[in-house]
Amino acid sequence: MTKIVSDILSKYEGENPGVKANLARMLNQGALGGTGKMVILPVDQGFEHGPARSFAANPAAYDPQYHYKLAIDAGMNAYAAPLGMIEAGADTFAGQIPTILKANSANSLIPNCAPNDQAITASVDDALRLGCSAIGFTIYPGSSQALSMFDQIRAMRNEAAAKGIATVIWSYPRGEDLDKNGETAIDVAAYAAQVAGLLGAHIIKIKLSTDHLSLPEAKKVYEAENIDISTQAKRVSHCMDASLGGRRIVVFSGGAKKGADSVYDDARAIRDGGGNGSIIGRNSFQRKREDALDMLGKIVDIYKGDA
């Protein structure tokens, strides 16, 4: 146990030893083990976007065991996926990498006119049975279904914590009154981080934000208080403040596939803003294995301060 990890765990007052042990398991895993930084491989895109959109660019990725191997060989801190993908390698790779069971999902076949929502697709007992370190759960602050999602994760988070399993909350602003600019606006992103923290997330997952201010009442405060949101690193720092004053682990999603230099720039901004790391799916598994390993290795170096 390094001092950095010990200090992070000390901020989780009120949590039982099982939850802290699973947080430590993820923080101490892989190439960034012990540094307080994390890079996680998430592969729930097949559920969200469909198989071809997710895996056709790199057909080897249709096989769930491909992702276990990629996460292990790249020195990731954890691997996150829905029930079927975790089950497809849980025995073969037992104990080799911490896993996060994504417990709810949506899909792109749902009509656009439907409210933004997700279905619960796995249980805490599934996570326990499969040896997972955490459950993952998406909420959509801004959706007309948000209050129901908050109720669902409150109950599931409490059950998971009672059984020693940590909770990761994907907090993605989305809703009938939020346009695309609003979904990634800094005031909305910080609000999403705060909501996840207040719901009891042990690890908060949010998107990187823009300098756009979406909410009129919030915009007045940002301007009156001169909150610096001029750079991505400053916006990361602000989101860390919103995450219970930096008392929660926060990882930032990589989004759709883009150029490697943009991925590296994002990682540097997260590092410089005090974020804990990245959760990178499509930008890794949609590349050929050797290219993905090279890119993930460089991201690890960035978080170590070597690049």
Side-chain angles (χ1 to χ4, degrees):
M1 181 72 70
T2 65
K3 184 179 186 303
I4 292 172
V5 172
S6 181
D7 286 346
I8 290 172
L9 295 178
S10 73
K11 296 173 182 175
Y12 289 81
E13 299 184 34
E15 287 303 338
N16 62 46
V19 169
K20 288 192 174 186
N22 273 314
L23 290 173
R25 186 179 171 197
M26 291 184 279
L27 286 164
N28 287 323
Q29 175 76 24
L32 288 169
T35 66
K37 301 298 183 183
M38 305 180 79
V39 181
I40 298 170
L41 175 67
V43 192
D44 59 342
Q45 292 81 0
F47 214 136
E48 300 286 332
H49 305 297
R53 287 175 60 190
S54 301
F55 307 126
N58 177 26
Y62 281 110
D63 181 358
Q65 293 203 359
Y66 174 89
H67 303 287
Y68 274 98
K69 294 173 185 174
L70 178 62
I72 292 166
D73 292 346
M76 300 291 92
N77 294 78
Y79 165 53
L83 180 63
M85 295 193 78
I86 296 289
E87 285 188 327
D91 185 40
T92 300
F93 300 98
Q96 296 184 48
I97 188 166
T99 50
I100 300 167
L101 177 61
K102 187 63 167 52
N104 70 338
S105 290
N107 70 82
S108 59
L109 299 175
I110 296 171
N112 290 332
C113 60
N116 292 286
D117 200 359
Q118 297 220 346
I120 295 176
T121 56
S123 69
V124 173
D125 282 342
D126 287 325
L128 199 63
R129 169 175 60 86
L130 295 167
C132 299
S133 293
I135 57 166
F137 196 96
T138 295
I139 58 171
Y140 291 142
S143 170
S144 59
Q145 298 301 304
L147 299 183
S148 175
M149 301 177 88
F150 298 165
D151 280 344
Q152 290 170 348
I153 187 52
R154 176 198 57 79
M156 188 170 283
R157 183 264 185 210
N158 287 349
E159 180 187 357
K163 295 177 178 178
I165 295 173
T167 293
V168 185
I169 294 183
W170 277 236
S171 194
Y172 286 176
R174 195 170 296 173
E176 294 85 344
D177 288 342
L178 276 178
D179 59 17
K180 286 297 180 183
N181 290 330
E183 289 179 3
T184 54
I186 178 57
D187 57 325
V188 178
Y191 200 163
Q194 172 86 176
V195 168
L198 295 177
L199 284 169
H202 301 106
I203 299 176
I204 297 168
K205 179 190 179 202
I206 57 174
K207 296 180 180 181
L208 287 168
S209 59
T210 68
D211 62 1
H212 178 61
L213 293 168
S214 178
L215 306 173
E217 292 304 314
K219 184 176 182 179
K220 294 176 186 177
V221 175
Y222 278 78
E223 293 174 347
E225 301 298 332
N226 295 313
I227 299 173
D228 190 351
I229 55 172
S230 60
T231 67
Q232 189 64 263
K234 292 291 186 181
R235 295 192 290 274
V236 167
S237 178
H238 180 58
C239 287
M240 294 303 297
D241 287 342
S243 301
L244 308 189
R247 288 182 172 273
R248 291 297 175 265
I249 298 165
V250 184
V251 293
F252 295 80
S253 62
K257 185 180 176 183
K258 54 193 173 186
D261 287 343
S262 294
V263 177
Y264 303 147
D265 288 342
D266 286 349
R268 292 187 185 97
I270 295 165
R271 177 198 65 194
D272 295 345
N276 294 95
S278 302
I279 180 161
I280 301 179
R282 286 170 286 178
N283 277 293
S284 55
F285 66 72
Q286 288 185 346
R287 287 173 162 83
K288 300 302 181 186
R289 175 181 162 84
E290 59 271 20
D291 295 334
L293 288 172
D294 180 66
M295 187 190 74
L296 291 169
K298 289 179 180 176
I299 291 170
V300 166
D301 288 341
I302 289 168
Y303 283 120
K304 286 181 174 180
D306 297 335

